[in-house]
Amino acid sequence: MPELPEVETIARQLAPLLSGRRVERAEILDPKLTFKPDALAGSVVERVMRLGKRLVLEILGKKGSRFLRFDLRMTGRLTWSSAGQDFSPKHLRAVFTLAGGNLLFYDPRRFGTIEIFANLRDAGPTGVEPLDPGLSPEKLRGLFAGSRQALKIWLLRQDRLSGIGNIYASEVPFAAGLSPLRPVNELSREETETLRDALRSVLGEAVKNRGTTLSDYRDARGARGAHQGHLKVYRRGNETCTRCGGRIERIVLRGRSTFFCPGCQF
Ligand SMILES: [Zn+2]
């Protein structure tokens, strides 16, 4: 499932291709998508952005801006096809025809969704953006709000930080040298600062590598990400820790695999 780095990659690739283009029509091919593309024709794509794990297009029409939100879930893909270029109809669920080409929404397992909102606030997640330069250790501690939740579980809460899923919820605590089992309200100020730095470095590096492809994720050009070769603990149970030489463990927290090194995460 695409997380912040994967959706950020798609947004960065699509932004120069879509921005400023007029929408000619929108066609929903899968009745499972309840989205009604009414009155999109004639609007212009103002902006392409990522909010948490979702991709949002700001569409400017006669009555002002609206926000088209794509949730890719398990297997959703967005890709651009220039006018005159052939594209496969297989697993194609929606086509947005813009001046000069088509934005294609593919999704073999059909869990993805498309929704439209009048306000950006309604389209967005309620949590804080982990790469926000204003995210200070104090602000992060404020987000803990005295919670006794284990760090790994807490990192998955989209109402606190938005964009982290199961892969980076193991990678970030490793980079910070913190056990995924630590209750967040017990993290010191220094540890919280280390955690904040780890969020930036891990997510930032993953964006540079165009995300992690373990199975389905592809970027907007249809290419696999390259960050899977840089994962330190995720899906590396029983392997040797690159930092301390210890053995990486896999445990299950709330039904989800969690990876860490007991030798260097405290
Ligand atoms: Zn280690």
Side-chain angles (χ1 to χ4, degrees), residues 174 233 240-248 260-265:
F174 176 82
V233 288
T240 303
C241 171
T242 52
R243 187 164 55 200
C244 77
R247 194 137 66 128
I248 295 164
F260 72 109
C261 173
C264 62
Q265 286 179 256

Side-chain angles (χ1 to χ4, degrees), residues 214-230:
L214 294 169
S215 56
D216 296 290
Y217 163 72
R218 299 290 184 276
D219 69 13
R221 298 175 189 135
R224 297 165 65 89
H227 195 66
Q228 57 278 11
H230 301 263

Side-chain angles (χ1 to χ4, degrees), residues 9 18 20 55 80 113 152 169 189 213 246 252 266:
T9 299
L18 306 187
L55 187 115
W80 172 253
T113 59
K152 155 75 190 309
R189 191 206 170 278
T213 297
V252 176
F266 306 102

Side-chain angles (χ1 to χ4, degrees), residues 139-158:
K139 194 166 173 185
L140 194 49
R141 289 186 97 178
L143 291 172
F144 294 157
S147 169
R148 290 198 49 78
Q149 275 179 322
L151 175 59
K152 155 75 190 309
I153 301 291
W154 188 87
L155 285 170
L156 293 172
R157 285 185 61 175
Q158 303 301 302

